[in-house]
Amino acid sequence: MADEISFLPLGAIIQSFKVGGIDIVQGFPTQELYAEHNSPHFGATIGRVANRISDAKVQLNGGKAYSFVANNGPNTLHGGNVGWGKRVWKGPKPVGVRKNIPGIEGELQGGETVEFTLTSEDGDEGFPGEVLVKVFYTVGKIVENGKEVTVLSQEYEAELVGGAEETVINMTNHSYFNLSGKPSIEGTVVQLTTDSYLPLSEWGIPTTGPTTYSKVPTTTPFTLGAQEPDFDDCFIVDPSASPSSVPIDTRGLPLNKLVSAYHPESKIHLEVLSTEPAFQFYTGKWIDVPAVGGAPARGSRSGFCVEPSRFVNAINVDDWRSQMLLKKGEKFGARIVYKAWKE
């Protein structure tokens, strides 16, 4: 595991993911450099609430108002100033071997699994309730169509254990992928599983329910150029499903392929799968990281993100609210799987 994929206690970060000799995720050589320079959230586990909360406030626990830091215009982004991606977790703790990942055919070669844990205190960044959260990473290989495929599975589990009767939660991983082995994602061929998305306001808050994305045909392969197409959008996996039918723990749902990508020069392929109902697809327009610690500078479009999650700002939309509402005695859960191989 350590040769190809590595993790860090800070943010339960995915630090490296090597395929065919190329590290396909953006990162830094040391944890200290992440602490100083990781404004894009490279590889980080995002919480307590991934993406945006409109007007930096919610109502919970019988109509009580909770306010958070507005760190993205008028909104709260990625859990506040010190979200879970900037906390130091306990781990990685080896917890045995998993030979099977639900939704992945075949038995894993390897399957080593590690656990990270974090206690998010009552009042953490303004959020109510003490939450115990776990991230399990499983690494292995399978053979598909004669190709050796590296599998990285992530499983999230969180429980409200005290301090409030309910809280809000939405977790994801913020890895930036670059399959080219070069400074830019230019030339990457991408295909999404859906063309349904949530139209957003200027500050990234959905203005309506699922609508057809019309700028690019997303369900057939398209190529990322030097600057276009530019994405920072929340796509909906199954727009025919009722948003209120999404359980707080999606781990029992089917594992759906969200995005396929490959680069014709490097011959590296990536698939991102998840049990989650939505995903943010972001082509990295705002990346701005200096050259530090032997790592090169990273600029605009040096990586793309696929962030599986609940609907953006669900807690503030009546029909979507239950997707993010974690009550005492329940468990939040989700699964994300990366599959990568070289031709």
Side-chain angles (χ1 to χ4, degrees), residues 81-323:
N81 283 336
V82 187
W84 292 353
K86 296 179 181 178
R87 295 281 300 271
V88 176
W89 297 53
K90 291 180 181 176
K93 173 187 170 187
V95 289
V97 169
R98 294 184 178 181
K99 289 296 186 184
N100 297 100
I101 302 297
I104 299 294
E105 287 188 24
E107 192 172 278
L108 286 183
Q109 302 165 6
E112 293 92 347
T113 301
V114 296
E115 176 191 69
F116 287 91
T117 57
L118 178 71
T119 300
S120 175
E121 308 82 2
D122 182 16
D124 181 10
E125 285 292 318
F127 291 99
E130 180 178 327
V131 174
L132 298 182
V133 56
K134 299 177 181 178
V135 176
F136 298 94
Y137 288 120
T138 301
V139 177
K141 294 183 187 293
I142 56 172
V143 176
E144 271 188 359
N145 303 319
K147 306 281 187 202
E148 186 179 69
V149 176
T150 301
V151 176
L152 170 54
S153 170
Q154 308 163 60
E155 183 180 331
Y156 299 144
E157 183 176 288
E159 197 170 1
L160 175 61
V161 295
E165 291 303 308
E166 59 186 24
T167 191
V168 56
I169 186 166
N170 182 35
M171 295 178 67
T172 194
N173 183 276
H174 214 305
S175 286
Y176 286 75
F177 298 101
N178 184 330
L179 312 182
S180 72
K182 296 180 178 180
S184 168
I185 57 175
E186 183 178 357
T188 307
V189 179
V190 177
Q191 183 174 355
L192 310 190
T193 194
T194 180
D195 61 3
S196 178
Y197 85 118
L198 298 176
L200 301 175
S201 71
E202 175 191 5
W203 284 106
I205 299 296
T207 55
T208 182
T211 305
T212 300
Y213 187 88
S214 58
K215 295 178 189 174
V216 180
T218 55
T219 57
T220 53
F222 59 94
T223 301
L224 299 178
Q227 293 181 309
E228 298 289 340
D230 174 44
F231 287 89
D232 193 3
D233 294 284
C234 182
F235 284 86
I236 304 305
V237 178
D238 181 5
S240 69
S242 167
S244 62
S245 70
V246 176
I248 194 67
D249 186 347
T250 67
R251 288 175 294 180
L253 299 182
L255 188 71
N256 292 306
K257 181 162 65 176
L258 308 181
V259 175
S260 303
Y262 81 96
H263 200 282
E265 292 178 25
S266 68
K267 309 290 189 192
I268 291 175
H269 292 249
L270 171 74
E271 293 179 357
V272 178
L273 307 93
S274 181
T275 56
E276 291 287 86
F279 61 96
Q280 191 88 0
F281 181 57
Y282 172 47
T283 47
K285 181 177 182 177
W286 303 110
I287 303 169
D288 184 12
V289 171
V292 287
R298 265 69 58 91
S300 182
R301 293 175 79 86
S302 56
F304 66 88
C305 300
V306 181
E307 306 162 55
S309 68
R310 312 294 152 99
F311 290 20
V312 177
N313 192 42
I315 195 65
N316 285 322
V317 179
D318 288 345
D319 288 349
W320 306 350
R321 182 177 172 86
S322 60
Q323 295 184 7

